[in-house]
Amino acid sequence: MTAYVPYLYVNLIALYGFTFMLIAFLASRKTPEIWAFISMLVACILWTGGSILMRLSVYPGISFWYYVSIVALFTLPFLAYQFVSVFIKRKGYVSKIVIGLGTLIIDILTVSGLILEAPQKSILPNGGIVFTYSMDWPIAIVGVLAVLYILFVARILAQTVKEKGRNYPGIMYIIISAVVMIVGNMLQILPGNTFPFDTLAGIIFAILLMLALCQKHMFHLSLLISRSVIIILGLIFCAIGFSYFVQPTRLILVNYFGMESEAANTVVIILFALLITLLYRALTLIADLLFAHKNQQNKLVKRFSKDVSKTLKTSDIMDEMVDTIKSAVPVDNIYVLLPSAKGFESYYGSRKLASRQFSIAFDSPFIKYLKDRDSHYLVSDFEADPLYCSVWKDEKELFSSLSIACVYAIRNDTGIGGVLLLSDKQKNRKYTYLELDYVSTVASIASIAINNAVLYEKMYREARIDSLTDTYNYRFFAEQVEVEFEKNKNDCLALLYVDIDDFRLFNQLYGTLEGDHVLCTVAKIMKQCIGDSGTVYRYSGKIFAALLPHYDGQRTEK
């Protein structure tokens, strides 16, 4: 009689699902949350894989694969607690150390056989395989540690719901996943049960945590269906399907066309090789159509990176960034804010006619919330956070009037060096993960270019500005005289000199500090009088100059 393992398909499906998710997450952008989830998937693969190999009695034996599976299972709660802590940004070093040490002790005792011995295999009269486990009082240690896991997780989840509300992205999926795991393991230990409820609960548990990551915009389900995955799975299913038609096709060729057996085999091989080639081409075209948008985004990002590397003008970088974003995301308006004395002040608006001057304070809750995010956040997510209650009414009205839907950080070496605001999409559609990730990539490239441009402009300004009077220095004056002369060859150009009399005597009588004050006052008066009509320069110690394009001598005297 042939022996069979009952419900082995459940473990196989679970192993396939965990492996599939692991491959997808290894190819995604890594964050602490993603790394924590990957470690859980590895434990799940060892748990289900070890269980399958144990039930199939694969070398090196039942005991080996049993301990691989059970150690992974006992380690999984600690990894789950680590994931939850990272996901909701809780440090909890003491609780992590306690649970980690407890898990390590349990694993050592398990491998030594003091808690659970390897099961005994027996074959039933109907051919089914049964594994008999012997449990003694040491198993209570695992039960106590399991209760601690539940209490620790329940405590941090309750604190998160209390502080950030039930609408905190992904929190409800985590709570439901914890309940599913508890129920699944309780059903598993029911007397007479043979169905792997714990494995089924593990599958649902991983899917719910993956959905929590999706809701927090750290992962998108479309990454599970990549171009290569579609082609490989399509070919596998086609090959399996064709295998069922090989023999019938061969018989048709032999019986109805009178072919020899060897000739029929050759024709079948050629026929199915051609069919698989055609299917491969068809699947490639389908995959290209499905991922055309993503490919287009990659081309836009490459072009943007190339273009901004050629300029050190902040305005040019802003134009390129906005054009690149709007090429792939149908957003109504984009604002760029850069730091100033007031806070983050609006520097650029994509719609010139609709742009307006506004600023956001450095200590604004909108900025505080952004500092805790990896790169961006949706305003709708922030509104569900208790921190939103501390936002001033004026700031709420500002964001509402501008229809701001998403906030991005333009980071530098010291923190946030600018803010990118995206308004609602056209037709009030929601932002997708791929769009948010695309804008994040563009903003990351732009942040480097903007920081370089700001640094260059600062150095350029410092090299041409007199630090005392805040007017242009002699070096810039010498450059601009030639430039303005060429520009006004067929027009008037006035050059005005202002020399402060007896300035050395004034410094001797009242001190250099008062002398500096006089210089600043003269420079201020000259800039106010000249305004936008010309440019003021500090020519030397006590001499100022002014260039006035389109001014003749008579008009300059007035």
Side-chain angles (χ1 to χ4, degrees):
M1 182 180 293
T2 303
Y4 70 93
V5 180
Y7 304 113
L8 185 63
Y9 66 90
V10 177
N11 296 80
L12 290 171
I13 292 173
L15 180 61
Y16 175 79
F18 292 142
T19 304
F20 191 56
M21 283 190 283
L22 177 64
I23 293 172
F25 275 89
L26 285 174
S28 67
R29 183 168 53 90
K30 306 299 187 300
T31 64
E33 292 86 350
I34 297 296
W35 279 119
F37 188 68
I38 287 175
S39 65
M40 287 179 54
L41 289 175
V42 171
C44 288
I45 290 172
L46 292 175
W47 165 37
T48 52
S51 177
I52 291 170
L53 295 174
M54 180 198 75
R55 296 184 183 191
L56 296 176
S57 302
V58 176
Y59 179 83
I62 293 174
S63 296
F64 176 82
W65 294 116
Y66 166 74
Y67 285 122
V68 169
S69 176
I70 200 68
V71 167
L73 178 61
F74 286 165
T75 307
L76 188 58
F78 168 70
L79 298 176
Y81 179 80
Q82 175 72 11
F83 171 81
V84 174
S85 300
V86 173
F87 187 88
I88 61 179
K89 300 190 181 302
R90 293 276 181 179
K91 294 182 179 179
Y93 295 121
V94 176
S95 57
K96 288 180 183 178
I97 291 173
V98 171
I99 295 177
L101 289 175
T103 301
L104 181 62
I105 293 171
I106 290 295
D107 289 342
I108 293 173
L109 294 177
T110 300
V111 173
S112 63
L114 297 176
I115 292 181
L116 279 175
E117 295 181 358
Q120 299 298 318
K121 174 183 175 182
S122 58
I123 301 177
L124 300 176
N126 63 357
I129 296 176
V130 174
F131 290 92
T132 305
Y133 296 85
S134 59
M135 298 185 184
D136 207 343
W137 67 267
I139 195 65
I141 301 175
V142 179
V144 171
L145 191 60
V147 172
L148 284 176
Y149 286 144
I150 295 172
L151 291 177
F152 277 122
V153 172
R155 180 175 63 86
I156 62 173
L157 289 177
Q159 288 177 348
T160 303
V161 172
K162 182 179 178 181
E163 295 174 5
K164 302 184 178 181
R166 289 183 297 176
N167 293 326
Y168 183 77
I171 191 67
M172 293 309 298
Y173 283 121
I174 292 178
I175 293 174
I176 296 171
S177 67
V179 174
V180 167
M181 281 298 286
I182 293 172
V183 173
N185 283 275
M186 289 178 66
L187 292 174
Q188 184 64 30
I189 61 176
L190 290 176
N193 173 62
T194 58
F195 186 84
F197 285 106
D198 57 343
T199 304
L200 181 62
I203 301 173
I204 300 173
F205 173 74
I207 292 174
L208 288 171
L209 293 185
M210 185 173 64
L211 291 175
L213 290 171
C214 292
Q215 195 174 56
K216 211 173 180 185
H217 308 292
M218 295 181 176
F219 185 77
H220 194 261
L221 293 176
S222 62
L223 295 178
L224 294 175
I225 312 174
S226 64
R227 181 179 184 277
S228 57
V229 169
I230 288 178
I231 294 173
I232 292 171
L233 291 180
L235 289 175
I236 289 173
F237 288 130
C238 290
I240 293 173
F242 288 156
S243 65
Y244 287 96
F245 295 98
V246 169
Q247 188 62 21
T249 304
R250 179 180 174 280
L251 292 175
I252 290 173
L253 293 174
V254 172
N255 296 331
Y256 290 95
F257 292 93
M259 287 188 178
E260 296 291 336
S261 178
E262 292 183 359
N265 290 335
T266 304
V267 171
V268 168
I269 292 172
I270 294 173
L271 179 63
F272 282 105
L274 289 173
L275 287 174
I276 289 178
T277 302
L278 292 173
L279 279 171
Y280 175 79
R281 295 296 301 169
L283 289 170
T284 303
L285 291 174
I286 292 171
D288 288 339
L289 290 174
L290 290 174
F291 296 95
H293 185 60
K294 182 63 177 176
N295 294 334
Q296 180 64 19
Q297 288 183 348
N298 292 336
K299 291 179 181 179
L300 290 171
V301 168
K302 288 181 180 178
R303 188 185 69 183
F304 172 68
S305 179
K306 182 180 179 181
D307 290 342
V308 296
S309 65
K310 298 177 181 178
T311 181
L312 285 171
K313 284 187 177 181
T314 306
S315 58
D316 292 346
I317 297 171
M318 302 293 183
D319 287 331
E320 291 288 347
M321 177 177 65
V322 169
D323 290 342
T324 303
I325 292 174
K326 283 197 164 188
S327 297
V329 183
V331 56
D332 276 335
N333 206 353
I334 299 173
Y335 299 94
V336 181
L337 285 68
L338 295 179
S340 68
K342 299 178 181 178
F344 289 103
E345 193 167 359
S346 59
Y347 181 89
Y348 184 95
S350 59
R351 292 167 59 185
K352 304 300 182 183
L353 296 177
S355 62
R356 52 186 285 192
Q357 291 295 319
F358 62 91
S359 62
I360 302 175
F362 292 122
D363 58 350
S364 168
F366 284 104
I367 304 301
K368 290 181 180 178
Y369 192 72
L370 184 60
K371 290 179 179 178
D372 296 332
R373 308 275 82 77
D374 182 39
S375 63
H376 68 277
Y377 67 83
L378 294 174
V379 175
S380 57
D381 292 343
F382 180 41
E383 290 173 350
D385 194 282
L387 182 62
Y388 185 75
C389 298
S390 63
V391 178
W392 290 98
K393 181 181 178 181
D394 293 343
E395 288 186 334
K396 290 181 180 179
E397 292 177 350
L398 173 66
F399 270 59
S400 178
S401 64
L402 297 175
S403 300
I404 302 301
C406 192
V407 181
Y408 278 83
I410 300 175
R411 298 192 178 274
N412 55 24
D413 295 338
T414 59
I416 298 178
V419 179
L420 180 67
L421 302 179
L422 272 62
S423 68
D424 290 328
K425 286 175 62 179
Q426 296 172 5
K427 299 180 181 180
N428 291 323
R429 295 175 180 173
K430 291 185 177 180
Y431 284 95
T432 65
Y433 171 85
L434 292 177
E435 289 173 338
L436 294 173
D437 188 60
Y438 169 74
V439 177
S440 180
T441 302
V442 173
S444 178
I445 296 171
S447 65
I448 299 173
I450 291 173
N451 291 332
N452 290 337
V454 169
L455 181 60
Y456 171 77
E457 290 173 357
K458 181 181 178 182
M459 294 176 63
Y460 182 88
R461 176 179 172 80
E462 289 177 350
R464 287 159 175 79
I465 293 291
D466 179 62
S467 59
L468 176 62
T469 60
D470 197 33
T471 58
Y472 289 106
N473 57 22
Y474 176 79
R475 175 181 178 180
F476 191 58
F477 170 76
E479 295 175 359
Q480 289 301 107
V481 165
E482 296 182 7
V483 173
E484 292 295 340
F485 184 78
E486 289 295 326
K487 288 168 61 177
N488 296 276
K489 274 186 176 181
N490 301 318
D491 200 352
C492 297
L493 175 64
L495 173 58
L496 179 68
Y497 280 100
V498 176
D499 190 352
I500 304 175
D501 292 334
D502 300 322
F503 184 68
R504 180 179 297 178
L505 179 61
F506 183 88
N507 276 339
Q508 292 173 351
L509 292 175
Y510 300 102
T512 55
L513 291 178
E514 287 296 324
D516 290 345
H517 179 69
V518 169
L519 290 173
C520 293
T521 303
V522 171
K524 183 178 180 182
I525 293 172
M526 288 186 65
K527 287 192 290 185
Q528 289 176 347
C529 293
I530 292 174
D532 296 331
S533 301
T535 309
V536 178
Y537 306 86
R538 188 179 180 188
Y539 186 81
S540 64
K542 64 187 181 84
I543 301 175
F544 290 88
L547 283 174
L548 301 169
H550 317 300
Y551 274 71
D552 56 17
Q554 186 177 1
R555 191 181 176 192
T556 304
E557 288 181 4
K558 293 180 179 179

